[in-house]
Amino acid sequence: IVNPENGWIQNCNSTPFTAALEYSPRREDYPTYMAPDAENFRGIHAVRLLNGRSDLTPEKLIELAYDPLLPAFEELIPGLVAAYDEAGVRPPELAGAIDALRDWDYRVSTDSVAMTLAHFYGSRSIAEGDNPEGLRGMDLIRYFGHRSPHSERLEIFVKTVAQLEADFGHWSTPWGEVNRYQRLNGDIVQQFDDDAPSLPVGMASGRWGALAAFGARSQSGAKRIYGTSGNSFVAVVEFGERVRAKTRLAGGQSGDPASPHFDDQAVRYVNREFKDVAYYREDVEERATRTYHPGE
């Protein structure tokens, strides 16, 4: 794809056949093995946001990239609410949780209780739900939202609510209490600890369609989930007479806990605050805390 007329190309680890709307490569022109990747909710999200936009600046692009809408839950959650509404016998312990989801706008934030419910319900559906057609990815989530048995949806949600009450004391736990950033040492594989310092994160997994992806999981007996994949390094670059760029790193540049740069970007990361890149020599020299000449 070279300079498509729509003005943008998007790549969300999904099919190339929607990378630039009608200016994308055509599936029929290629053998299947060259592009086996399916569409995903991140790709759908990106196309929605970019379609028709021509006024982007680095700041506006960052705003788009952190759009909080999660398209997967537009497919999944209405089916759960419908299963509850249409049930002959409604589990009374689900009433409040269902209402939280019924009123949700499918946007992630640290204070969203519905996000917590939706994440654990969706994750449990994928892990435990019957998958008679052997579906994957977006097709599987759509199946659970539209075609799976109502009784199974409610059974999985009962387990979800029970899990949240057991782990956090109540199902109405805000997402930021559950979804955390933690970096305790320089290990590549972190051992997470609910009793150690961590930061709330108002992002979500790319599985649900988040462009600013924060893939989190629990381990080592932790009840909370902690980021292990997703947007570890983020950059937005504008090319012109001069290059202008903004970046953000998960944690810090150093893997040494004793370094001031071990976690000096952690708060920026969770708050979505980008820093300006020192691209030109004068910018680097202005920021330098120490300089040397090789051989001295």
Side-chain angles (χ1 to χ4, degrees), residues 167-214:
D167 289 348
F168 304 106
H170 201 278
W171 59 261
S172 59
T173 303
W175 181 235
E177 290 294 319
V178 176
N179 193 53
R180 311 289 290 190
Y181 168 89
Q182 187 177 78
R183 192 184 193 205
L184 300 177
N185 52 50
D187 294 347
I188 293 175
V189 179
Q190 295 282 304
Q191 298 300 310
F192 300 119
D193 183 352
D194 286 341
D195 295 325
S198 63
L199 297 171
V201 180
M203 295 184 281
S205 170
R207 167 185 280 174
W208 313 131
L211 297 180
F214 186 81

Side-chain angles (χ1 to χ4, degrees), residues 190-242:
Q190 295 282 304
Q191 298 300 310
F192 300 119
D193 183 352
D194 286 341
D195 295 325
S198 63
L199 297 171
V201 180
M203 295 184 281
S205 170
R207 167 185 280 174
W208 313 131
L211 297 180
F214 186 81
R217 59 187 176 87
S218 61
Q219 66 179 39
S220 305
K223 303 298 184 184
R224 290 168 160 175
I225 56 175
Y226 298 88
T228 57
S229 62
N231 284 18
S232 54
F233 170 75
V234 191
V236 56
V237 184
E238 181 181 55
F239 298 94
E241 284 190 28
R242 288 176 64 86

